[in-house]
């Protein structure tokens, strides 16, 4: 580029994809020469093997139940004979219960922790958007109110991760056209571009951030399923209900409203 075409110094231009070396158009669509080829395809083959293993397990379970006239369990748990009644019946049963229903009981708190982790890991413009959404969800306070807004939160996470995915891909570098925020008239530097998570050929967006967003989306989707399961009587019988105890109860009379035995003052 000419002197008036960009404000980037020479050292930064050397790291640009456009000027650091020849551009292979095939790399933009995910194709790259590799030797040996098996090393290039090992992650794809691993995903296919995991999917095949999963389908085999589910098909085998379905065939076994059909052959023996068995019905599928209400909840997809490991220990089917453990219910809410077994939670206070020894340490072993307590561990089994939380293996089955940990996310059912503490999934919402896990999503909040993952949201804080996304904010702390990213520290950019999209982290600020996540913070606003976290404040909006926490402002609802009651679990039923959070359940009403939760599908919108999941939709937001799905849309924003898709949008960021396209930002990471960017425009093809083969035409050798730089982004407008790298022009001479634009008042942008590399730090602002990095904070705004703009596509760029010098400071490329960090795709690792999408992993944090994906884990948050995964747990938020599971929590949405949990909110739906809370309204099913069969699930509440097995796992217990998540109904909140009224926050206006007097602390002195709290024990008479709490159905869980008091092991400290059990005399």
């Amino acid at each position: 580029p000419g002197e008036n075409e960009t404000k980037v110094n020479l050292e930064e231009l050397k790291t640009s994809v456009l000027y650091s070396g020849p551009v292979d158009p095939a790399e933009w669509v995910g194709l790259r020469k590799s030797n040996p080829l098996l090393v290039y395809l090992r992650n794809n083959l691993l995903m296919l093997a995991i999917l095949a293993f999963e389908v085999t397990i589910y098909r085998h379970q379905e065939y076994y139940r059909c052959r023996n006239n068995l019905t599928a369990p209400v909840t997809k748990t490991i220990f089917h004979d453990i219910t809410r009644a077994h939670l206070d019946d020894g340490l072993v049963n307590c561990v089994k219960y939380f293996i089955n229903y940990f996310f059912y009981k503490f999934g919402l708190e896990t999503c909040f922790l993952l949201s804080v982790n996304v904010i702390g890991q990213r520290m950019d413009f999209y982290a600020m958007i996540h913070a606003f959404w976290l404040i909006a969800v926490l402002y609802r306070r009651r679990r039923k109110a959070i359940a009403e807004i939760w599908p919108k939160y999941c939709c937001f996470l799905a849309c924003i991760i898709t949008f960021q995915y396209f930002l990471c891909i960017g425009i093809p570098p083969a035409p050798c056209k730089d982004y407008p925020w790298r022009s001479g008239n634009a008042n942008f530097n590399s730090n602002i571009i990095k904070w705004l998570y703009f596509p760029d050929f010098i400071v490329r967006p960090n795709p690792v951030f999408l992993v944090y967003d994906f884990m948050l989306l995964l747990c938020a989707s599971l929590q949405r399923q949990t909110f739906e399961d809370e309204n099913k009587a069969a699930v509440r019988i097995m796992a217990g209900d998540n109904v909140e105890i009224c926050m206006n109860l007097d602390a002195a009379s709290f024990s008479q409203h709490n159905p869980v035995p008091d092991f400290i003052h059990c005399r």
Side-chain angles (χ1 to χ4, degrees):
E3 295 181 357
N4 297 327
E5 295 179 5
T6 180
K7 288 186 176 181
V8 184
N9 56 43
L10 184 60
E11 293 298 325
E12 284 185 315
L13 282 179
K14 291 181 180 179
T15 62
S16 176
V17 177
L18 297 179
Y19 312 113
S20 60
V23 176
D24 186 3
E27 291 190 3
W28 187 75
V29 295
L31 299 177
R32 184 177 69 251
K33 291 183 179 181
S34 179
N35 188 23
L37 185 61
L38 184 61
V39 177
Y40 181 71
L41 297 177
R42 60 183 178 183
N43 292 331
N44 302 79
L45 296 176
L46 180 61
M47 288 189 293
L48 289 176
I50 293 175
L51 291 175
F53 180 74
E54 180 187 16
V55 172
T56 303
I57 293 297
Y58 280 114
R59 289 295 183 183
H60 179 269
Q61 290 178 341
E62 184 179 358
Y63 174 73
Y64 180 82
R65 294 191 182 104
C66 291
R67 188 178 62 179
N68 294 278
N69 295 325
L70 300 175
T71 58
V74 178
T75 59
K76 296 180 180 180
T77 56
I78 299 177
F79 306 103
H80 302 306
D81 56 339
I82 298 297
T83 63
R84 177 62 180 84
H86 299 88
L87 176 59
D88 304 308
D89 188 17
L91 184 61
V92 176
N93 288 336
C94 178
V95 173
K96 290 181 179 180
Y97 175 83
F98 280 113
I99 291 176
N100 285 345
Y101 304 109
F102 175 82
F103 202 88
Y104 179 82
K105 286 295 184 181
F106 300 104
L108 189 59
E109 291 78 5
T110 304
C111 292
F112 290 156
L113 290 176
L114 285 176
S115 180
V116 174
N117 177 68
V118 170
I119 297 171
Q121 293 292 340
R122 297 188 61 111
M123 297 296 289
D124 58 359
F125 175 74
Y126 292 94
M128 184 174 63
I129 298 178
H130 280 287
F132 287 149
W133 260 103
L134 180 60
I135 294 172
V137 172
L138 290 175
Y139 183 76
R140 311 284 293 208
R141 299 183 63 183
R142 303 305 297 267
R143 189 177 182 90
K144 287 295 184 182
I146 294 176
E148 294 176 357
I149 198 177
W150 201 257
K152 299 179 181 179
Y153 182 57
C154 293
C155 182
F156 155 74
L157 293 176
C159 294
I160 199 172
I161 194 175
T162 304
F163 178 70
Q164 291 177 93
Y165 176 77
F166 287 111
L167 290 181
C168 289
I169 294 176
I171 62 175
C176 293
K177 296 293 184 180
D178 215 337
Y179 292 97
W181 40 87
R182 285 298 185 183
S183 63
N185 298 325
N187 294 321
F188 284 87
N189 56 35
S190 297
N191 291 330
I192 296 178
I193 293 173
K194 182 179 179 180
W195 186 79
L196 292 174
Y197 206 69
F198 279 175
D200 190 66
F201 293 119
I202 298 177
V203 186
R204 286 173 289 183
N206 189 0
V208 179
F209 289 163
L210 298 183
V211 178
Y212 304 126
D213 289 356
F214 171 76
M215 295 304 298
L216 177 59
L217 175 60
L218 177 63
C219 289
S221 301
L222 293 175
Q223 182 58 38
R224 182 180 179 180
Q225 182 64 42
T226 300
F227 282 137
E228 295 178 359
D229 292 340
E230 290 177 358
N231 298 323
K232 299 178 181 178
V235 177
R236 291 199 301 268
I237 293 174
M238 296 291 294
D241 60 65
N242 286 333
V243 178
E244 296 174 330
I245 298 177
C246 182
M247 295 181 294
N248 297 324
L249 290 177
D250 185 14
S253 61
F254 177 76
S255 59
Q256 64 182 358
H257 299 278
N258 191 357
V260 179
D262 187 358
F263 294 101
I264 298 177
H265 305 89
C266 58
R267 293 177 299 175

